[in-house]
Each structure stands twice: as C-alpha cells, then as structure tokens.
Amino acid sequence: MKNKILITGAAGFIGYHLVEKLIREGGWNIVGLDNINEYYDVNLKYARLNEVGINKEKIEYNRIINSCKYTYYHFIQLNLEDKENILRLFEHEKFDFVVNLAAQAGVRYSLTDPASYINSNIVGFINMLEACRNHDIKHFVYASSSSVYGLNTKMPLSTSDNVDHPISIYAATKKSNELMAHTYSYLYNLPTTGLRFFTVYGPWGRPDMALFKFTKAIIEDEPIEIYNHGNMIRDFTYIDDIVEGIYKIINYIPRQKESFNNLDPSTSIAPYKIYNIGNSSPVLLMDFITAIENEIGKNALKKFLPIQPGDVKTTHSNIEELVNDLNYKPQIDIKKGIKKFWEWYKSYFGEKIK
C-alpha cells in the first residue's frame, strides 16, 4: 500500500520539483496544495502544475482534483490560513507524511509587506501543526531557511550555532517555525524535521531569485543590480540536490531520546531535528555572474549598490550531519547548474527571448 503524502507549496519552485521526484520514484500517493498567490507570475505556477499533469482549467478552489494523467497525484488550491478547510482536508485524506514548503518567500519583500509573512508563515504554520498532531502524522518535514543565521559570522554556518539574531521578518518567521515545531514535538510527540535551505537555484525557479533576474536582464540589455558592490558570497545549491536531500529525510524520522546535548539547538529529547541543506561550496557573487555571462554568451550591464536591509554578506553551510546521517552528497556545481537553467529558460520562453 502506498504511503499518502501532502506537499504544500506544490506549485512553487521546490514543491514542484519534489512532486516530480516523488512521481518519478513511485510508491507514493501524493496530494499537492498551493494557494497560487500573485507574489510572482501565476502563469509560471500553472506551467509547473501542467508539467505534472494538473490542468489549469480544471483547478477549483477548495476541491480535490482527481482528473490528471497521474492517477496517484491530486492537487488542491487552498490557503494554509484556512484552518477549517485544512482540518477537513486532513480528516478526509488520512495522510502519513507532510512536507510543508508553502510560505511567503523573499527576504526583501518582507520589508514591504511584513503582515503577509505573519499570515502565511506563522498562522498557516500553526494550522499545519494542529492538523498534523490531531491526525497521527508519521513525520512533519518543513522548510526553514539559511536566513535564520542572521548576524552569525562564524563560517561554515552550523545547526549547532545560536540563531537568535535574525535580520528580516522572513528570517524571524522561519526561526519561529523551528520553535513552534519543537514545542509540538515535545508536547504531542509529533516527529518534526526543519530544513535550512541555502540559496536554491535551477530550472523553474522564481523570477525574484538572482539567477532568473540576472538572466532576464542580460538578454534584455537591462542593468543587473549587484548589492554590497559585489562583495557577497552565497552557498548556491542546485534544485536537484535540494530535492534529493528532502527525499532522503522524509523517511528518516526523528525519535524521542532519554537525554541530549542542550547546548545544541538542532536536536532535543523530543522527536525533533534541524538540518542544513546546501552545497557547502560558497561562491563569490561576481563569479556567479561571470558563469551566467559565459553561458549566455553576453556580458551584463552592472549597477553596483550598497547592501540591502535584511541581506547577509556570506552564507556557507555545514552539512556534516546530513552527510553522516543520510549520505547526502551534492552533485551539481554552478557551471553545470547555470547551464541547466539556461537550457530550461530558452525552452520555456522560446521566441520571447531577443
């Protein structure tokens, strides 16, 4: 009998790729959930859904869709904040596993509209925790972010580090998610694992992400905005490596312990765990831009700017625990990853590219 799994944020960048991976691997009965909001072009979200058999014309709000070419994948359009219908969904579907990737994304947008982050990332998250603890979920896996490290300067960034100094509302909501998850793990014996993603990129990515923005600007002869005058370092992680990590973690369920190192905030006596998922090979932003230019065959017009509020200068993931526990091995460097993205970008936009 197939395990039933709920993937929230299923029309999003990481969610789409995870659904595609689960379909390809087989053995899963999958339900995808997304509210398909207008934070960025909804046509890209519908195109992702179409890739896994969900026809835009047949999506109805608050209705489970059964008519798609993959009979073991269903999709529902729903807000996490809609507690009544979230609970109804859990009661109806009897999930075994939940991977919560739905969230209001973007560090810089959180400076403009912080309330949307509270609604989606806090209210929506507590609704998911409540639904999980009331329906005997085997494992609740959720997206955190490398942004929780905030003002930390010791590199590489480790899950054993203190993360009490976030510098954006987005980061604060992700730190809050980790605390909320721990509380439910402790009080209700709900196994939870939080995943701190490091600068994910690749095909089907969000238009507000650096690779997408830079590519679009270069081919349209528009200047790219380079913050902190280019003195940024990022642990760019290709989407397939991220999804492989998530896939391994789903069945790696944390257990209660009799004791633990209480100086390590990534673990607990409760069935709770935090992992970094990154490439652990940080890249200078200017080298990243050069790799994009080389792939496209065209130089960027560059506009150098000061660092933006909420941005951190450097990210570098310590992934030793994930390597040791699950034999996690990132495979794709930035040259290969950017090549794969550019191939997708040309295919997706076709004649729209100048």
Side-chain angles (χ1 to χ4, degrees), residues 231-281:
N231 297 314
M232 308 277 270
I233 298 173
R234 288 289 180 269
D235 197 345
F236 292 102
T237 313
Y238 189 69
I239 183 62
D240 289 0
D241 290 329
I242 290 286
V243 167
E244 184 64 26
I246 301 171
Y247 185 76
K248 288 175 176 288
I249 281 165
I250 291 170
N251 277 304
Y252 194 73
I253 303 172
R255 306 296 181 189
Q256 284 186 320
K257 308 169 192 66
E258 293 184 3
S259 63
F260 78 112
N261 177 6
N262 62 8
L263 297 179
D264 183 353
S266 73
T267 188
S268 172
I269 58 172
Y272 168 89
K273 188 60 185 166
I274 299 290
Y275 286 108
N276 285 338
I277 299 189
N279 198 50
S280 200
S281 298

Side-chain angles (χ1 to χ4, degrees), residues 47-102:
R48 292 180 186 132
L49 289 172
N50 189 63
E51 285 292 302
V52 288
I54 302 298
N55 188 323
K56 172 185 175 181
E57 304 305 321
K58 295 181 179 178
I59 295 173
E60 299 177 49
Y61 195 73
N62 290 350
R63 291 281 301 279
I64 295 175
I65 305 303
N66 293 307
S67 52
C68 71
K69 64 184 178 183
Y70 300 108
T71 57
Y72 40 83
Y73 178 48
H74 311 301
F75 178 81
I76 182 170
Q77 184 176 356
L78 184 64
N79 278 305
L80 295 190
E81 302 96 301
D82 187 346
K83 182 177 181 179
E84 180 180 351
N85 280 307
I86 289 291
L87 292 175
R88 184 176 297 155
L89 177 67
F90 272 71
E91 180 64 31
H92 180 269
E93 293 292 337
K94 312 296 183 186
F95 299 114
D96 298 296
F97 297 89
V98 174
V99 180
N100 186 58
L101 301 172

